[in-house]
Amino acid sequence: MTTTTSHSLAIAAKGLRKAYGDKTVLDGIDLAVPTGTVFSLLGPNGAGKTTAVKILSTLVTADAGELHVGGHDLAVAPQAVRAAIGVTGQFSAVDGLITGEENMLLMADLHHLPRQEGRRTAAELLERFDLTEAAKKPASTYSGGMKRRLDLAMTLVGDPRIIFLDEPTTGLDPRSRHNMWGIIRGLVADGVSVFLTTQYLEEADELADRIAVLHDGTIAAEGSAEELKRLVPGGHVRLRFTDPVAYRSAAAALREVTRDDEALTLQIPSDGSQRELRSILDWLDSAGVEADELTVHTPDLDDVFFALTGPTTSQSSQSKESVR
C-alpha cells in the first residue's frame, strides 16, 4: 500500500488478520474508507465486526496487516490515531450516576479542553443532540435513545474527523433509530468519516456509501447497496389475475414464466428496470390482456445477506464476489 493511497483514505487496511487461539476471526481482510463517507461492515453475530473496530481504534493489536487511520500508521503512531478518532461502542459509556452535562464536562476534561471552552462545547453538543432540557438530570433517568445520543455527543467532544460506530442503534425503537440516522447524516455532511457496524440491513441501506459483508473472517462481497443487490438473482414481476381466461391467455403467450394456477398469478424474471416494466406493459396492451395487479420484487439487502452468509460446508468452498 502506497503512502499516497493511505493518506487519501480515512481508513485503509490491507491483509488485516486476527486470531484468538486456533480461531481465526479476521483472515487477511482489506478495507478502504474514503474521507467523508459512511462505510458499513455487515455480518452475523461473531463475524468479527467488533474485533475490526477494536483493532482500527487501537484497542486491540492486529496479528498482521498494513493499517492506516487518518493517514497514520497504526503500528508506528497509535497515539496520533487516537487523537483523530472517536468511538461509540455497543454498550453505552454514559455514567448514569451523574447528569448528562456532567458526563459531557468529564469528557471535556479528558480532552484537556480549557474550562470555558469545555463548557461551551458541552452546551453546543447538548443542544445539537436535543438534550438541553435533560442536561441537569441524572443520565440513569434517560431513555435508551437519549443515552445513545448522549454517548455520541460525548464522542464528539474532541471533534474527531473519523468515528467508529459499533452497532449504535441496537435496542432502540424505530423512532430513536431514525433520529440517530439523521444525526449520522449530519456528521457526514460536515465531512466526518463514519465506520459503521450494524446488524440492521435497513440501516446500512439507508446510510452507507459502501458496504462490506463479513463472513467466516473474510469479505464475502463489497460495493454500494445497489451493486450488492445486483449480485443476487431472484428479481421478478408478479402479475395477478381474477379472470381465469385472461390468466390462461397470458400464461400461454409469455415465455420464462412461473405459473400459480390456484392463485392465478404469473411470475416473470426481471431486474425491475423501467425498460423491462414498459416492455411487459406494452405486451399486455398489445395482447389485449389486463392484469388486475402488477408488483415488482427486486432483491434487497436481506436477500444479499442470507445469500452470502448462509451455511457452507467449508470456508474454502464459499464463493466470494466483489464489486469494484
Side-chain angles (χ1 to χ4, degrees):
M1 179 175 294
T2 65
T3 302
T4 303
T5 301
S6 300
H7 282 265
S8 65
L9 297 168
I11 300 168
K14 185 176 179 62
L16 172 55
R17 289 184 56 85
K18 183 65 180 179
Y20 293 101
D22 59 357
K23 178 176 174 55
T24 299
V25 181
L26 298 172
D27 194 8
I29 67 171
D30 298 341
L31 299 170
V33 182
T35 301
T37 65
V38 178
F39 182 94
S40 181
L41 192 60
L42 283 180
N45 283 334
K49 303 187 299 295
T50 297
T51 298
V53 168
K54 287 182 176 179
I55 289 171
L56 294 171
S57 60
T58 76
L59 297 175
V60 171
T61 303
D63 295 336
E66 298 176 33
L67 312 175
H68 292 80
V69 176
H72 305 289
D73 188 329
L74 244 69
V76 175
Q79 204 58 38
V81 171
R82 294 182 193 117
I85 68 173
V87 183
T88 299
Q90 292 183 33
F91 304 103
S92 174
V94 172
D95 186 339
L97 298 178
I98 59 178
T99 69
E101 182 181 50
E102 288 167 341
N103 271 282
M104 295 295 291
L105 293 175
L106 178 60
M107 289 302 297
D109 287 342
L110 291 173
H111 283 281
H112 306 293
L113 297 183
R115 184 177 180 82
Q116 187 173 353
E117 183 183 348
R119 288 194 170 279
R120 177 180 55 78
T121 300
E124 288 175 355
L125 286 169
L126 287 167
E127 182 177 1
R128 180 178 178 182
F129 285 79
D130 196 24
L131 293 168
T132 302
E133 288 187 14
K136 302 291 186 182
K137 298 177 181 177
S140 60
T141 65
Y142 288 13
S143 67
M146 291 170 68
K147 285 180 180 176
R148 295 306 273 171
R149 295 205 308 274
L150 178 59
D151 202 10
L152 185 51
M154 291 164 61
T155 299
L156 296 181
V157 168
D159 194 26
R161 306 314 294 163
I162 301 170
I163 297 178
F164 292 91
L165 299 177
D166 190 13
E167 301 189 16
T169 63
T170 296
L172 296 187
D173 62 78
R175 183 182 299 278
S176 296
R177 186 172 299 133
H178 278 265
N179 288 342
M180 185 65 76
W181 292 354
I183 290 170
I184 294 170
R185 291 190 187 101
L187 291 172
V188 177
D190 289 339
V192 173
S193 308
V194 175
F195 188 100
L196 170 73
T197 75
T198 181
Q199 295 183 61
Y200 298 114
L201 305 178
E202 180 191 6
E203 185 160 272
D205 205 350
E206 283 281 338
L207 296 175
D209 298 287
R210 286 187 72 78
I211 299 167
V213 182
L214 186 62
H215 181 53
D216 282 347
T218 63
I219 302 297
E222 182 183 339
S224 69
E226 293 309 312
E227 287 170 337
L228 291 179
K229 291 170 188 176
R230 287 199 291 271
L231 292 177
V232 180
H236 63 267
V237 172
R238 183 174 176 270
L239 303 175
R240 184 180 65 82
F241 299 84
T242 54
D243 181 0
V245 175
Y247 166 74
R248 286 193 292 271
S249 298
L254 283 170
R255 296 180 178 180
E256 295 184 21
V257 64
T258 301
R259 299 176 52 150
D260 186 334
D261 294 339
E262 186 175 336
L264 300 183
T265 62
L266 301 175
Q267 186 170 300
I268 307 163
S270 169
D271 62 6
S273 68
Q274 184 176 336
R275 177 183 54 80
E276 283 202 359
L277 289 177
R278 185 181 293 116
S279 175
I280 293 170
L281 291 172
D282 288 346
W283 177 87
L284 289 172
D285 285 341
S286 64
V289 176
E290 185 172 339
D292 294 273
E293 185 180 276
L294 181 150
T295 55
V296 180
H297 173 81
T298 54
D300 56 20
L301 279 186
D302 287 51
D303 299 313
V304 174
F305 187 82
F306 291 123
L308 295 173
T309 65
T312 55
T313 54
S314 69
Q315 185 170 323
S316 61
S317 69
Q318 185 182 342
S319 172
K320 302 290 189 293
E321 299 180 76
S322 181
V323 181
R324 299 297 179 196

